[in-house]
Amino acid sequence: MTEPSRSRSAPRPRRLAASWRGIRTAAAIALVCTVLGACSGEQFQKGYILPPGALEQLPIGASQDQVLIVMGTPSTVATLNGEVFYYISQRSERPVAFMNQKVVDQRVIAVYFDKNRRVQRLANYGLQDGRIFDFISRTTPTSGQELSYLTPLFKLLSFN
């Protein structure tokens, strides 16, 4: 007795359902990954981006032209008591794409010149615990000319 032979080329209904289930699962996983990827955090850099090692290339006594070559054009210049170049930057981030930005770091790099247009002093001001702080000399200005120049710059940068 011979049994009728089954055709091997025609897919069985069970195999077809299993393959569709696998395709739907893969599509659902891809969709979830895409949605979660769109919600990932972002970082924003505004203003001047300090090149690595730039401050180390500027010794005290360097010329103003040398500062312009190494650091580039300053964000603003003050000329009240000698010339000062200010390089202003702000870095902010948001953990999820639709949330507000939070300021992570604000910096003002100040290059002070003497009357001969030579570097007299370098300062890297930032915010530490809500106060203006010089990260090079590790001091906080208590009063005087520097604080009055830097405070409006930080107020312009903050959006809160």
Side-chain angles (χ1 to χ4, degrees):
M1 304 204 162
T2 62
E3 293 184 26
S5 65
R6 295 185 180 175
S7 172
R8 296 189 192 266
S9 62
R12 292 184 179 164
R14 238 184 267 167
R15 285 185 185 166
L16 186 61
S19 67
W20 277 109
R21 189 175 311 131
I23 291 172
R24 284 187 297 203
T25 303
I29 290 172
L31 180 66
V32 168
C33 289
T34 303
V35 168
L36 290 178
C39 292
S40 67
E42 296 176 284
Q43 288 190 350
F44 303 94
Q45 176 73 39
K46 299 173 186 167
Y48 181 76
I49 298 174
L50 180 68
L55 292 178
E56 290 80 22
Q57 295 178 19
L58 295 175
I60 302 300
S63 69
Q64 198 173 50
D65 291 334
Q66 194 174 0
V67 172
L68 289 171
I69 290 170
V70 172
M71 301 283 284
T73 305
S75 303
T76 188
V77 176
T79 57
L80 192 56
N81 289 333
E83 199 162 12
V84 184
F85 285 0
Y86 292 109
Y87 297 89
I88 304 167
S89 69
Q90 182 184 64
R91 192 167 46 94
S92 61
E93 60 185 30
R94 59 181 171 194
V96 182
F98 54 83
M99 294 181 73
N100 290 333
Q101 295 179 20
K102 179 183 176 190
V103 175
V104 177
D105 188 30
Q106 292 185 118
R107 297 285 173 152
V108 174
I109 298 168
V111 183
Y112 296 90
F113 297 99
D114 60 12
K115 294 181 185 194
N116 298 327
R117 294 185 175 212
R118 298 279 179 189
V119 174
Q120 181 180 17
R121 185 166 70 95
L122 293 170
N124 185 354
Y125 297 108
L127 288 179
Q128 184 176 35
D129 300 327
R131 307 186 113 216
I132 297 174
F133 182 79
D134 183 1
F135 285 92
I136 293 177
S137 67
R138 301 203 177 275
T139 59
T140 302
T142 55
S143 65
Q145 181 178 353
E146 294 174 9
L147 187 59
S148 64
Y149 287 141
L150 295 175
T151 303
L153 292 176
F154 281 125
K155 285 183 181 178
L156 282 174
L157 288 174
S158 65
F159 297 105
N160 295 332

